[in-house]
Amino acid sequence: MSLPTFSDTRPALGTPTDELETPTVVADLDAIDRNLRDIAHLADDAGVGVRPHTKAHKIPTLARQQEDLYGPGVLCQKLSEAEVMVRTGVRDVMLVCPVVSGPKLERLLWVADHADRFATLVDCPGNVRPLADVAARQGTTVGVIIEVDVGVERMGVAPGKGASELAALIAEEPALEFRGILGHDSHVPAAGKTVEGYERECAGVADKLERTVEAIEAKGLPVETVISGASSTAQYMAREPVVTELDPGRYVFNDATLLAACPEVDRVDCALTVLTTVISKPTRDRAIVDAGGKTLSYIADPKPVPKYRDDIEFYRVSSEHGFLDVADASGVSVGDRLEFVVPNAYGPINLHDTLPGIRDSRVEEVWNVSARGKDI
Amino acid sequence: MSLPTFSDTRPALGTPTDELETPTVVADLDAIDRNLRDIAHLADDAGVGVRPHTKAHKIPTLARQQEDLYGPGVLCQKLSEAEVMVRTGVRDVMLVCPVVSGPKLERLLWVADHADRFATLVDCPGNVRPLADVAARQGTTVGVIIEVDVGVERMGVAPGKGASELAALIAEEPALEFRGILGHDSHVPAAGKTVEGYERECAGVADKLERTVEAIEAKGLPVETVISGASSTAQYMAREPVVTELDPGRYVFNDATLLAACPEVDRVDCALTVLTTVISKPTRDRAIVDAGGKTLSYIADPKPVPKYRDDIEFYRVSSEHGFLDVADASGVSVGDRLEFVVPNAYGPINLHDTLPGIRDSRVEEVWNVSARGKDI
């Protein structure tokens, strides 16, 4: 028996977009180029660096492009991502998740030794100690940044005194080198809402960072780097004198989350979309497309946004189905192809091994999402 | 320079569970064996078949085990899953998602020709026509089942008259062979809540299925197969005389969703868990573990359930972080390992290429999740 070609989701270069099998997530290369450049101009004008987050794309080609464009290196969310980035030629990596267990600490030291520049993140004495011990044992010095809780209430030591005590603890460890602080500001969009709200919340973040820098420097420890400013807040944090590097991630693609949070983002800037086909129209006002939570991720809010139509609404997602309200649509039939901006770029990027890049309605690139699919 | 071993998440057989790097999703083999057998007894007692859903595990080894144990074959959610299952020796496959576009229809015909028995699903004239055309053109006959909307309001033709008209349309197509109906009942847990509620809702589902069988058979078309009864409703639907085959999926693993929905499910029956490590304890009452939405999926409700502790609560998930309330816990420190029942088995299964199977606190199997990671 002859076997068929199985589900090789890597399309041939040059394939017309209209002929790609669905569901498939694709990237608009022109939009990505614009998005990469826009933040470079923003940062240049403000005199700050950009240290983008590779968790948003997990693609070494893009990470190297970002490093070349902006100067500082990148942030990686996971040890496995940092390994991939260093192995594929990224020179300056900060790992922004603590590593506390034996075998993973050994891997972290490999990354530290093979990057041109490396730092890892801590936020409490419990994750300083194992790192200091293994670095000392292996005779290596590891750069360290402290996460300060600027309002997210996830990880992060308290600003000011809390952070300065932790910095002093780090300074006592001969195998660690204190580099600076990071304040993750992902709480701002929900708290901010309006331009004035964003300005107020970002000023609040900057206050906490300034207070922390003062407290640490009062102990005689210079704070070389202060990182803050996500994709939604970069334009506000860039103006704050305390910030030395912005850390946006999703701005490369933009997505429905940024579309909802940032008035300056337009659908045309949203580079990551899913191509779908209508597979069922069981009622007059409901159609079902072939992209659900296993293609887009189960992130339920916001919904995927139709890229080119205003008369259909994507109102629900189950594992393999997308639910459309087509009551207001003029003609939606089984077999129709529809394109939607993804809810949140992190989700689909984490679900696909390859990402076709589209230009002039054809596949011009197929990127390997090489840092994907690795838990540890 | 020597390269490290990169993120090979496939642990060696025999590795003690305590030595697995975290985060990692693992399966309890004894619990799976019990869960597989329990539903066989339930179905035998009721005199119905079990046609389990492979979307819950995507593991050919488990699918073949289910087919051997229950008699009827399996349901597959996607064409690519059906391809994998048939290629790895599963004999009887039903595909429960319509295929409407050219190249995928050709692949569907390959599956139909290489399975011992095959049927695919339709729910409206728009997805009957392309299937009938391609099957006729290639001189093949394809089995067809109709999805009837029994209350989910996703896909599915209206019960009774709507379904009988669609069955008649199918019967007119010489290349299609009408087999039966499927009523997906995933709305029952939310509508049912209590035992009485489940009984009432399941009786309502059965009424719709009976009415549909009568309407179709009134047109002279025998309804060979009537499929209904998810993991949460199988015990109720098994009693309904109209049902010929149950279609549970997640029962193999159980998960926090079934734990919340089914009083008879206990934590000890939950076979799919995530092993995590505490990486940060930024405040007295909050700890952060290294498993978030990219390990567990972003399904936000219900939360992961601690497998062996009652004094900690997993209250939030972000991409790579799990948030624990440890205010009531006696001693949780950075470096501690904690095990949680996953919120919904579908999510993590879709995110991992391999699944270590644990027995007697060691890795006894490492399954390939071979039907995973394929969109189309």
Side-chain angles (χ1 to χ4, degrees):
Chain A
M1 103 191 177
S2 79
L3 291 176
T5 306
F6 276 104
S7 310
D8 183 349
T9 53
R10 175 184 281 273
L13 297 183
T15 305
T17 317
D18 288 348
E19 293 178 14
L20 291 173
E21 283 199 54
T22 71
T24 184
V25 174
V26 297
D28 175 337
L29 297 175
D30 286 332
I32 288 175
D33 289 346
R34 287 195 306 274
N35 296 339
L36 286 171
R37 280 196 306 265
D38 283 354
I39 210 153
H41 294 314
L42 169 77
D44 280 350
D45 289 349
V48 296
V50 182
R51 183 180 285 276
H53 220 310
T54 65
K55 69 179 177 184
H57 57 69
K58 298 176 183 261
I59 297 171
T61 307
L62 275 177
R64 291 194 305 270
Q65 206 175 328
Q66 290 174 312
E67 188 170 51
D68 291 345
L69 191 60
Y70 304 133
V74 299
L75 295 182
C76 291
Q77 185 62 43
K78 281 194 289 210
L79 178 59
S80 49
E81 287 175 19
E83 287 173 333
V84 169
M85 293 303 161
V86 168
R87 195 157 81 143
T88 53
V90 172
R91 298 177 299 273
D92 179 343
V93 164
M94 276 190 191
L95 174 62
V96 293
C97 200
V99 173
V100 301
S101 70
K104 287 174 80 172
L105 282 166
E106 309 261 329
R107 286 163 51 193
L108 181 145
L109 290 187
W110 182 93
V111 175
D113 286 344
H114 289 83
D116 286 358
R117 193 167 168 77
F118 175 81
T120 188
L121 182 141
V122 297
D123 77 340
C124 63
N127 51 35
V128 170
R129 206 79 60 185
L131 179 69
D133 288 350
V134 74
R137 207 161 55 239
Q138 300 218 5
T140 306
T141 306
V142 177
V144 173
I145 48 171
I146 292 176
E147 178 159 2
V148 178
D149 184 0
V150 293
V152 176
E153 297 183 355
R154 184 170 66 189
M155 283 183 46
V157 64
K161 187 159 172 288
S164 70
E165 287 170 1
L166 191 60
L169 192 76
I170 292 164
E172 283 169 20
E173 298 290 347
L176 303 183
E177 183 182 291
F178 172 68
R179 292 270 181 78
I181 62 175
L182 176 145
H184 182 58
D185 63 358
S186 65
H187 64 296
V188 170
K193 291 194 175 69
T194 61
V195 169
E196 295 70 30
Y198 269 78
E199 286 172 345
R200 181 193 66 233
E201 293 297 323
C202 287
V205 169
D207 280 348
K208 290 182 177 128
L209 294 171
E210 276 160 23
R211 190 149 51 86
T212 303
V213 169
E214 283 163 20
I216 295 174
E217 296 198 332
K219 289 190 186 284
L221 301 168
V223 180
E224 186 185 313
T225 306
V226 178
I227 304 170
S228 193
S231 299
S232 55
T233 56
Q235 61 176 309
Y236 305 96
M237 294 309 297
R239 301 175 203 158
E240 298 292 344
V242 69
V243 172
T244 67
E245 289 175 359
L246 306 171
D247 63 344
R250 284 181 296 171
Y251 78 99
V252 176
F253 296 124
N254 287 312
D255 56 21
T257 302
L258 290 174
L259 203 53
C262 306
E264 70 279 9
V265 175
D266 188 87
R267 274 188 283 187
V268 79
D269 306 318
C270 294
L272 201 67
T273 58
V274 63
L275 306 179
T276 65
T277 301
V278 177
I279 55 170
S280 163
K281 197 178 168 194
T283 65
R284 196 191 52 76
D285 59 351
R286 182 169 78 239
I288 305 293
V289 293
D290 57 2
K294 290 186 182 176
T295 299
L296 293 168
S297 99
Y298 291 90
I299 294 172
D301 182 41
K303 299 292 176 288
V305 172
K307 179 111 186 212
Y308 299 111
R309 293 183 70 150
D310 293 311
D311 58 344
I312 53 179
E313 189 193 341
F314 199 120
Y315 69 93
R316 207 182 123 199
V317 68
S318 61
S319 284
E320 305 287 3
H321 303 82
F323 294 62
L324 306 187
D325 183 341
V326 294
D328 297 330
S330 56
V332 170
S333 305
V334 172
D336 286 0
R337 290 167 70 96
L338 297 168
E339 183 170 359
F340 296 89
V341 175
V342 304
N344 184 318
Y346 297 152
I349 285 297
N350 190 51
L351 289 168
H352 304 282
D353 289 326
T354 57
L355 179 64
I358 307 293
R359 197 172 338 245
D360 297 332
S361 303
R362 288 184 179 268
V363 175
E364 183 178 296
E365 299 252 20
V366 181
W367 280 316
N368 290 321
V369 190
S370 307
R372 193 211 78 73
K374 294 160 181 61
D375 263 331
I376 47 181
Chain B
M1 104 190 177
S2 78
L3 291 176
T5 305
F6 276 104
S7 307
D8 183 349
T9 52
R10 175 184 281 275
L13 297 183
T15 306
T17 316
D18 288 349
E19 293 177 14
L20 291 173
E21 284 199 55
T22 71
T24 185
V25 174
V26 297
D28 175 336
L29 297 175
D30 286 331
I32 289 176
D33 289 346
R34 286 195 307 274
N35 296 339
L36 286 172
R37 280 196 307 263
D38 283 353
I39 209 153
H41 294 314
L42 169 76
D44 280 349
D45 289 348
V48 296
V50 181
R51 184 180 284 276
H53 220 310
T54 64
K55 70 179 177 185
H57 56 70
K58 297 174 183 264
I59 297 170
T61 307
L62 275 177
R64 291 194 305 271
Q65 205 176 330
Q66 289 174 312
E67 189 170 52
D68 291 345
L69 191 60
Y70 305 133
V74 299
L75 296 181
C76 291
Q77 186 62 43
K78 280 194 289 206
L79 178 59
S80 49
E81 286 175 18
E83 288 173 333
V84 170
M85 293 303 160
V86 168
R87 195 157 82 142
T88 53
V90 173
R91 298 176 300 272
D92 180 343
V93 163
M94 276 192 192
L95 174 62
V96 293
C97 199
V99 173
V100 302
S101 69
K104 287 174 80 172
L105 281 166
E106 310 259 330
R107 286 164 51 193
L108 180 145
L109 290 187
W110 183 92
V111 174
D113 286 345
H114 289 83
D116 286 356
R117 194 169 169 77
F118 175 81
T120 187
L121 182 142
V122 298
D123 77 340
C124 64
N127 51 34
V128 171
R129 206 79 60 185
L131 179 70
D133 289 351
V134 74
R137 207 161 54 239
Q138 299 217 6
T140 306
T141 307
V142 177
V144 173
I145 49 171
I146 292 176
E147 178 160 0
V148 178
D149 184 359
V150 294
V152 176
E153 298 185 354
R154 184 171 67 187
M155 280 182 49
V157 65
K161 187 159 173 288
S164 70
E165 287 170 1
L166 192 60
L169 192 76
I170 293 164
E172 283 169 19
E173 298 289 348
L176 302 183
E177 183 183 292
F178 173 67
R179 291 270 180 78
I181 62 174
L182 176 145
H184 182 59
D185 63 358
S186 66
H187 63 296
V188 170
K193 291 193 176 70
T194 61
V195 169
E196 296 70 29
Y198 268 78
E199 285 172 345
R200 182 192 65 233
E201 294 296 324
C202 286
V205 169
D207 280 348
K208 290 181 177 129
L209 294 171
E210 275 160 23
R211 189 148 52 86
T212 303
V213 170
E214 281 163 22
I216 296 174
E217 295 198 332
K219 291 191 186 283
L221 301 168
V223 180
E224 185 185 311
T225 307
V226 178
I227 304 169
S228 193
S231 300
S232 54
T233 56
Q235 60 175 309
Y236 304 97
M237 294 309 297
R239 299 176 204 159
E240 298 291 343
V242 69
V243 172
T244 67
E245 290 175 0
L246 305 171
D247 64 342
R250 282 181 297 172
Y251 78 100
V252 176
F253 296 125
N254 287 313
D255 56 21
T257 303
L258 290 174
L259 203 53
C262 306
E264 71 280 9
V265 174
D266 189 88
R267 274 186 282 186
V268 78
D269 306 318
C270 294
L272 201 67
T273 57
V274 62
L275 306 179
T276 66
T277 301
V278 177
I279 55 170
S280 162
K281 198 178 168 194
T283 64
R284 195 191 53 77
D285 59 352
R286 182 169 77 239
I288 306 294
V289 293
D290 58 2
K294 290 186 182 175
T295 299
L296 293 167
S297 99
Y298 291 91
I299 294 172
D301 182 40
K303 299 292 176 285
V305 172
K307 179 111 186 214
Y308 299 111
R309 293 183 69 149
D310 294 310
D311 58 344
I312 54 179
E313 189 193 342
F314 198 120
Y315 69 93
R316 208 183 122 198
V317 68
S318 61
S319 285
E320 305 287 3
H321 302 82
F323 294 61
L324 306 187
D325 183 340
V326 295
D328 297 330
S330 57
V332 170
S333 304
V334 172
D336 285 0
R337 290 167 71 97
L338 297 168
E339 183 170 359
F340 296 89
V341 175
V342 304
N344 184 318
Y346 298 153
I349 285 297
N350 191 50
L351 290 167
H352 304 281
D353 289 324
T354 57
L355 179 63
I358 306 293
R359 197 173 337 246
D360 297 333
S361 303
R362 288 184 180 268
V363 176
E364 182 179 297
E365 298 251 19
V366 181
W367 280 317
N368 290 321
V369 190
S370 306
R372 192 212 78 73
K374 294 161 182 62
D375 263 330
I376 48 181

